[in-house]
Amino acid sequence: MVRGQCFCGAVSFEIEGALSAPSLCHCGQCRRLHGAPGAYTSAPVSAYRISGEESLNWYATSKRAEQAFCRICGSKLFWREIGGQDLDACMGSLDAPTGLTLGRHIFTRSQGDYYEIGHDGVPRFAASSAGAEPIGEEMPPQSGPKKTEHSGGCQCGAVGYRVSGSMRDVVVCHCGQCQRIHGYAPGYSAAREAELIIEGEENLAWYRTSDRARRGFCRSCGSSLFWNPDDRDTVSITAGSLQPPTGLKTVLHIMVADKRDYYTIADGVPQVPGSSAANPITF
């Protein structure tokens, strides 16, 4: 029996039976929705018992598939083919330890330009792994030079933003809160609040994840967009929601003491067990 839930606890579930080896999807859609690559395992629909379904919001990601997120806290939870027999669950929503091992990277030729996958020995597929042969390691897309103008937004287009100024390089957070909400360890850049303009704010839902910070996500598609601490003049922005080329690179992994058991960090970027407070990343 495997159990899981969203961050706020409004939606919880149990899965009875074997789960598939997780896939890590690097497509642009997953990165916009999750603010991170999409990490999913799968089981038959009949194996699930879901509580709190009234708090689920299903968003059609294409004509054949849809994704579910908690309408209260924005946690990414499920993906399914419409009319299919299986239901995929986000790895970050599962209670730890999962006892699983990452089985494949998919859509690697669509990966973000701000990170590298690294030498983790996991098979890679250029697109879907269904009926395909794995490929070798390839150079990631180039992020280009630093920029002073940036834009981005959610998957459905209801929320957009513009930054008139430089943005901080990317920090990947492996804490349990981020895993629950994003479904996988997210990469965050940051902008000065005075240089950030948000368009479609009426479509932006804010959820207070602690007594010192809140997170913003699109009400319609669930895309994770912002982390906004109370005591700073900056707003953290998911790198996956940025329009490429980003001009950014991943420079630090934080909270790695909380990293989930099914994946390894293999990109050679510095890691710290806790926060970056002792060595903050500057603009």
Side-chain angles (χ1 to χ4, degrees):
M1 179 72 71
V2 176
R3 293 180 172 85
Q5 65 173 55
C6 66
F7 179 74
C8 73
V11 183
S12 62
F13 60 91
E14 296 177 341
I15 310 172
E16 188 168 4
L19 296 172
S20 68
S23 295
L24 193 59
C25 182
H26 299 269
C27 77
Q29 181 179 100
C30 276
R31 285 184 286 105
R32 279 198 185 271
L33 289 168
H34 294 261
Y40 285 97
T41 184
S42 185
V45 173
S46 59
Y48 285 79
R49 288 197 296 272
I50 301 174
S51 299
E53 289 194 68
E54 66 278 4
S55 296
L56 280 179
N57 195 347
W58 287 95
Y59 170 72
T61 54
S62 70
K63 292 181 178 179
R64 68 176 186 85
E66 54 189 358
Q67 185 220 48
F69 61 95
C70 173
R71 65 175 72 248
I72 299 171
C73 64
S75 295
K76 310 303 170 291
L77 293 166
F78 307 118
W79 181 93
R80 67 186 178 192
E81 288 192 350
I82 298 171
Q85 300 301 307
D86 294 328
L87 181 63
D88 292 0
C90 288
M91 289 299 299
S93 69
L94 301 181
D95 292 349
T98 68
L100 299 173
T101 302
L102 188 65
R104 64 197 65 80
H105 294 279
I106 61 175
F107 289 92
T108 58
R109 287 184 181 161
S110 301
Q111 78 171 85
D113 62 6
Y114 53 91
Y115 68 93
E116 295 185 14
I117 296 171
H119 311 293
D120 61 0
V122 176
R124 305 181 186 201
F125 295 84
S128 170
S129 61
E133 292 294 324
I135 61 173
E137 293 185 11
E138 297 181 337
M139 289 292 293
Q142 298 300 301
S143 62
K146 283 281 189 179
K147 301 165 59 176
T148 56
E149 298 286 336
H150 300 264
S151 63
C154 68
Q155 176 65 25
C156 72
V159 182
Y161 60 83
R162 291 179 286 117
V163 178
S164 299
S166 60
M167 292 185 68
R168 191 203 66 198
D169 276 322
V170 177
V171 174
V172 178
C173 184
H174 299 265
C175 77
Q177 182 183 106
C178 277
Q179 298 269 2
R180 287 277 186 195
I181 288 174
H182 295 267
Y184 184 68
Y188 274 98
S189 179
R192 297 174 181 88
E193 198 163 12
E195 296 174 341
L196 172 65
I197 296 175
I198 299 175
E199 298 158 340
E201 281 199 76
E202 67 276 10
N203 299 309
L204 187 62
W206 289 100
Y207 177 75
R208 184 155 286 277
T209 49
S210 72
D211 59 1
R212 57 178 293 267
R214 61 179 185 165
R215 294 180 190 254
F217 63 95
C218 174
R219 298 179 189 275
S220 300
C221 64
S223 293
S224 292
L225 296 168
F226 307 116
W227 181 73
N228 184 208
D230 297 336
D231 58 352
R232 300 183 196 175
D233 61 358
T234 61
V235 178
S236 293
I237 300 173
T238 54
S241 67
L242 282 166
Q243 186 69 24
T246 65
L248 303 173
K249 61 181 179 179
T250 297
V251 294
L252 186 65
H253 292 274
I254 65 172
M255 307 302 293
V256 296
D258 295 340
K259 184 188 78 67
R260 294 300 179 94
D261 58 348
Y262 66 92
Y263 66 93
T264 58
I265 305 171
D267 57 5
V269 172
Q271 306 175 26
V272 294
S275 75
S276 61
N279 186 25
I281 306 302
T282 63
F283 285 76

